[in-house]
């Protein structure tokens, strides 16, 4: 056995011992290696060491469904490929294609077949075609599977190995402390070949939770990971990973075994010949979310889930006070790790991540304003009874219609300010396709489906969209053009490397300011964002512009004198002031 192979096996054996202490370690390690590296593949001689080389300032991502663009004639994945090349090539480097597998509900997150591409979208050839020019992220929906899937049907019939694939509990178990993201009953009664059973359903009764206490479940998902990698996937999103290990009598979230499973997957990715990045999706309070970095041994990247509601509050209230306080306490990502920064995704704007960060009164104002702008609110069940807001359902562009005072004429400027903050922060920026396209609320979709999240999952008629993008006067054309311009400027700045130094600046509450410095310390950028509808001025001395340097605002092209008069900001204006252009 080579030294590298021995090192891999030792790392896996330690983790297997923590996850499955009652099983034969050596036997399971062998099966894990066999599952992740079948006959035609092999691990690296040495594991990748943590570094900042997995990403660069050029990295930025678009988040989209495989069928966000349709025309009734072509495969949606063909249309997506055309849009990526026609409109985003050279601007965005990566694309997250939300679950593209056969499914029964939740717009793809109730998977029936993990090994196939939904034929209504295309096939694996289409995925590989996109992956040839863009870094593709896929979803590993590993907490649950569709109740209409072959796996669950085999479970109901008592067929091996699926008869032990799903988590069973009893209504008599102590489930009072289980953390719930939804309001539906946790357990679903089903009739099986072995009698009446109650299966665990964290999200919905069509999404039945898998039982990772059975190592066969983990092994199956490792094979699925390999299938993704073989088809060009280079970022794997671990959907709802916080919930995968359950124990009655506990919160059944963030369990030690869950973290150990993420660590095991990280070891496999570090030894993979292909450069594979693990991203955890944990829509939970900030400290809990950050725990998935581990000690540089879990996720390569985590969603910055507190960012969307805090930016929303700043732009609606006209003060960056809470956003500033939170950012000033955020740790830099460890070496080999990065934040994924965003404001909008296919889901709503999560409110759990601002628990303890925003006062209840401020949260109430946000909710009232979202509703006034045509949005909806989804609730979750609290331990001990009662409900609380889980997420806000609204397109980000329509959330920028106004402030706590009502609608105004600053929607586009306010929207661009919110996205410019995302671009400036430490980490990799990601943009939902409906943000790039300034998509309004799809109220018709909500009415048609009865699902609140449909408000933010519009399907554009592709010819109509292209016509709008060709019209310089349309909102879609103006917003996408401005977004591409700012993303393009950002990508050319070494100081915007995802791991470049960042400090939060103490300024007027109406300004959210950051200082970024490149890894080689050659470039500095003072990223300043007016989150208010008022004019604001900043003395150059307050941001410590170094004398003897030529400072330029990258966004406006203006020269900024370190000894000059105050730097003016129009409502929602952003400035990236740098010493290197």
């Amino acid at each position: 056995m080579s030294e590298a192979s021995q090192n891999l096996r030792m790392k896996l054996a330690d983790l297997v011992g923590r996850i499955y202490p009652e099983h034969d370690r050596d036997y399971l390690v062998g099966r894990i290696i066999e599952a992740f590296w079948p006959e035609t593949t092999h691990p690296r001689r040495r594991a990748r060491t943590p570094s900042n080389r997995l990403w660069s300032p050029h990295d930025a991502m678009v988040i989209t469904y495989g069928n966000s663009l349709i025309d009734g004639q072509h495969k949606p994945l063909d249309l997506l490929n055309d849009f990526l090349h026609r409109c985003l090539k050279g601007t965005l480097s990566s694309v997250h294609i939300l679950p593209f597998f056969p499914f029964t509900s939740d717009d793809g997150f109730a998977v029936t077949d993990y090994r196939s591409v939904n034929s209504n979208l295309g096939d694996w050839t289409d995925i590989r075609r996109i992956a040839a020019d863009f870094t593709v992220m896929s979803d590993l929906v590993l907490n649950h599977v569709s109740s209409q899937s072959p796996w669950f049907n085999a479970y109901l019939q008592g067929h091996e190995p699926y008869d032990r694939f799903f988590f069973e509990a009893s209504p008599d178990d102590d489930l009072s402390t289980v953390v719930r993201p939804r309001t539906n009953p946790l357990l679903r009664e089903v009739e099986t070949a072995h009698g009446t059973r109650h299966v665990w359903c964290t999200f919905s009764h069509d999404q039945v939770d898998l039982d990772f206490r059975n190592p066969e479940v983990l092994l199956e998902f490792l094979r699925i990971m390999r299938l993704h990698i073989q088809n060009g996937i280079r970022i794997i999103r671990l959907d709802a990973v916080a919930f995968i290990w359950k124990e009655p009598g506990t919160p059944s979230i963030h369990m030690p075994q869950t973290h150990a499973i993420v660590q095991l997957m990280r070891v496999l990715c570090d030894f993979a010949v292909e450069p594979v990045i693990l991203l955890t999706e944990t829509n939970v309070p900030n400290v809990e979310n950050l725990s998935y970095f581990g000690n540089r041994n879990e996720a390569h990247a985590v969603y910055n889930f507190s960012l969307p509601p805090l930016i929303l509050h700043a732009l609606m209230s006209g003060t960056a006070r809470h956003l500033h306080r939170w950012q000033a306490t955020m740790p830099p990502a460890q070496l080999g790790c990065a934040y994924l920064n965003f404001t909008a995704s296919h889901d709503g704007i999560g409110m759990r991540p601002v628990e303890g960060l925003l006062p209840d009164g401020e949260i109430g104002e946000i909710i009232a304003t979202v509703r006034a702008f045509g949005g909806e609110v989804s609730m979750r069940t609290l331990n001990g009874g009662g409900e609380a807001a889980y997420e806000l359902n609204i397109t980000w562009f329509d959330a920028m219609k106004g402030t706590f005072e009502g609608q105004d004429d600053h929607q586009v400027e306010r929207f661009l300010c919110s996205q410019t903050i995302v671009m400036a922060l430490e980490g990799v920026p990601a943009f939902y396709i409906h943000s790039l396209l300034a998509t309004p609320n799809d109220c018709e979709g909500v009415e048609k489906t009865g699902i609140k999240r449909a408000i933010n999952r519009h399907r554009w008629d592709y010819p109509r969209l292209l016509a709008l993008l060709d019209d310089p006067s349309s909102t879609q054309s103006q917003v996408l053009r401005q977004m591409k311009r700012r993303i393009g400027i950002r990508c050319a700045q070494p100081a915007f490397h995802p791991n470049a130094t960042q400090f939060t600046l103490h300024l007027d509450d109406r300004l959210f300011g950051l200082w970024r410095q490149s890894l080689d310390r050659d470039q500095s950028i003072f990223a300043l964002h007016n989150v208010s509808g008022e004019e604001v001025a900043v003395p150059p001395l307050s941001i410590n512009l170094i004398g003897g340097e030529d400072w330029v605002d990258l966004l406006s092209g203006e020269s900024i004198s370190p000894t000059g008069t105050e730097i003016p900001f129009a409502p929602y204006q952003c400035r990236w002031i740098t010493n290197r252009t």
Side-chain angles (χ1 to χ4, degrees):
M1 182 185 302
S2 69
E3 182 180 346
S5 176
Q6 187 175 16
N7 188 26
L8 170 61
R9 287 178 173 273
M10 286 177 59
K11 288 177 180 287
L12 292 176
D14 175 64
L15 292 164
V16 165
R18 289 157 53 191
I19 304 166
Y20 304 113
E22 297 178 1
H23 289 73
D24 184 319
R25 291 193 195 190
D26 291 339
Y27 173 71
L28 263 185
V29 166
R31 293 198 62 200
I32 287 169
I33 292 173
E34 181 182 86
F36 196 73
W37 286 288
E39 290 181 1
T40 58
T41 59
H42 59 85
R44 288 165 53 96
R45 293 179 60 188
R46 295 182 180 82
R48 284 184 187 81
T49 55
S51 74
N52 53 34
R53 294 189 296 274
L54 285 173
W55 34 72
S56 78
H58 300 284
D59 285 310
M61 177 181 291
V62 59
I63 304 165
T64 181
Y65 278 101
N67 62 353
S68 291
L69 309 171
I70 56 175
D71 68 358
Q73 298 180 22
H74 300 89
K75 292 186 294 184
L77 286 174
D78 273 348
L79 299 182
L80 175 59
N81 189 45
D82 181 78
F83 174 74
L84 291 171
H85 284 84
R86 183 193 298 257
C87 299
L88 300 180
K89 180 72 172 172
T91 300
L92 297 177
S93 62
S94 308
V95 56
H96 174 198
I97 308 176
L98 288 152
F100 45 78
F101 317 104
F103 71 99
T104 54
S105 64
D106 199 15
D107 279 344
F109 287 93
V111 178
T112 60
D113 182 357
Y114 289 94
R115 297 182 175 278
S116 300
V117 174
N118 185 344
S119 60
N120 292 325
L121 302 178
D123 53 35
W124 280 114
T125 302
D126 300 305
I127 298 295
R128 291 193 295 271
R129 186 178 298 117
I130 294 172
D133 293 312
F134 295 86
T135 301
V136 176
M137 177 160 81
S138 68
D139 288 274
L140 194 67
V141 186
L142 72 171
N143 179 68
H144 48 260
V145 66
S146 169
S147 67
Q148 300 173 55
S149 66
W151 289 9
F152 192 64
N153 285 330
Y155 160 81
L156 295 176
Q157 295 169 40
H159 295 166
E160 295 182 351
Y162 304 105
D163 57 337
R164 296 177 54 244
F165 260 44
F166 294 89
F167 196 95
E168 300 174 350
S170 166
D172 297 326
D173 288 337
D174 177 11
L175 306 177
S176 60
T177 60
V178 174
V179 173
R180 300 301 318 286
R182 298 291 186 273
T183 57
N184 59 279
L186 178 62
L187 300 184
R188 173 187 171 184
E189 182 178 304
V190 295
E191 295 301 324
T192 77
H194 301 300
T196 301
R197 296 289 186 269
H198 293 85
V199 290
W200 193 291
C201 300
T202 297
F203 291 92
S204 81
H205 282 189
D206 188 40
Q207 295 164 296
V208 187
D209 286 29
L210 292 152
D211 190 352
F212 275 85
R213 295 175 303 180
N214 176 5
E216 295 299 329
V217 174
L218 174 61
L219 290 168
E220 187 60 25
F221 276 101
L222 297 183
R223 296 183 191 103
I224 293 165
M225 285 178 68
R226 170 51 58 184
L227 175 68
H228 287 212
I229 295 167
Q230 293 294 89
N231 280 284
I233 304 302
R234 292 297 176 262
I235 307 175
I236 294 177
R237 176 183 183 269
L238 302 181
D239 177 68
V241 67
F243 297 98
I244 64 173
W245 197 277
K246 304 102 166 85
E247 288 182 14
T250 75
S252 296
I253 187 172
H254 314 313
M255 301 293 281
Q257 295 91 339
T258 296
H259 284 281
I261 288 171
V262 177
Q263 290 171 28
L264 184 147
M265 290 179 171
R266 172 65 180 264
V267 168
L268 296 176
C269 290
D270 285 346
F271 272 92
V273 172
E274 308 85 355
V276 180
I277 293 173
L278 277 185
L279 171 71
T280 48
E281 187 265 335
T282 51
N283 192 358
V284 294
N286 192 52
V287 173
E288 299 171 30
N289 184 44
L290 295 180
S291 71
Y292 285 86
F293 277 141
N295 184 23
R296 300 191 307 179
N297 62 347
E298 292 191 37
H300 295 93
V302 301
Y303 282 91
N304 211 342
F305 272 115
S306 297
L307 188 61
L310 286 172
I311 291 182
L312 182 67
H313 175 270
L315 273 299
M316 284 184 168
S317 66
T319 173
R321 183 171 66 255
H322 294 293
L323 175 63
H324 174 273
R325 182 182 299 123
W326 164 77
Q327 185 58 58
T329 62
M330 280 289 283
Q334 304 168 64
L335 184 65
C337 301
Y339 294 107
L340 188 74
N341 298 317
F342 70 110
T343 55
S345 72
H346 62 292
D347 289 338
I349 302 166
M351 298 307 289
R352 285 214 68 204
V354 287
E355 291 176 6
L357 299 178
L358 283 178
D360 290 343
E362 301 286 311
I363 292 174
E365 285 205 71
I366 294 174
I367 291 173
T369 305
V370 163
R371 283 179 167 148
F373 295 167
E376 304 273 359
V377 180
S378 295
M379 310 299 288
R380 71 183 184 94
T381 299
L382 298 173
N383 292 334
E387 294 182 349
Y390 179 72
E391 66 179 22
L392 310 178
N393 303 112
I394 189 170
T395 68
W396 188 267
F397 188 69
D398 270 5
M400 296 289 100
K401 279 183 176 179
T403 68
F404 291 160
E405 304 301 317
Q407 295 187 33
D408 56 34
D409 297 327
H410 292 299
Q411 183 176 14
V412 171
E413 293 84 359
R414 187 180 294 112
F415 169 82
L416 289 172
C417 177
S418 72
Q419 304 308 294
T420 306
I421 292 172
V422 169
M423 297 178 207
L425 283 163
E426 174 198 348
V428 177
F431 308 96
Y432 190 34
I433 190 170
H434 293 306
S435 293
L436 292 173
L437 299 176
T439 307
N441 291 334
D442 190 349
C443 298
E444 183 181 340
V446 177
E447 186 176 346
K448 185 181 300 182
T449 63
I451 298 171
K452 293 178 180 179
R453 284 178 168 178
I455 201 169
N456 192 32
R457 297 177 177 179
H458 181 67
R459 294 177 184 173
W460 276 100
D461 177 73
Y462 194 43
R464 176 172 176 264
L465 174 63
L466 291 180
L468 287 169
L469 294 178
D470 285 340
D471 178 2
S473 67
S474 75
T475 303
Q476 283 65 41
S477 177
Q478 293 171 17
V479 166
L480 183 59
R481 187 167 60 250
Q482 285 292 332
M483 287 288 289
K484 289 174 64 175
R485 175 180 174 271
R486 295 190 185 198
I487 295 169
I489 292 171
R490 177 199 178 275
C491 290
Q493 313 309 317
F496 283 143
H497 185 286
N499 297 124
T501 299
Q502 174 176 289
F503 286 109
T504 310
L505 302 175
H506 297 272
L507 302 167
D508 186 304
D509 280 346
R510 294 168 294 179
L511 289 172
F512 180 63
L514 304 163
W515 174 66
R516 303 295 308 277
Q517 187 182 54
S518 58
L519 297 173
D520 62 6
R521 300 189 178 185
D522 190 51
Q523 183 188 40
S524 288
I525 296 178
F526 292 90
L528 311 174
H529 316 85
N530 182 5
V531 301
S532 79
E534 303 171 2
E535 295 183 356
V536 182
V538 177
L541 288 176
S542 68
I543 56 174
N544 297 320
L545 292 185
I546 299 172
E549 298 265 15
D550 294 324
W551 295 91
V552 175
D553 177 7
L554 291 167
L555 297 178
S556 70
E558 298 172 69
S559 295
I560 306 293
S561 171
T563 58
T565 57
E566 291 187 326
I567 306 168
F569 288 78
Y572 304 108
Q573 183 177 1
C574 303
R575 292 185 183 273
W576 290 345
I577 301 172
T578 184
N579 60 337
R580 296 286 184 272
T581 57

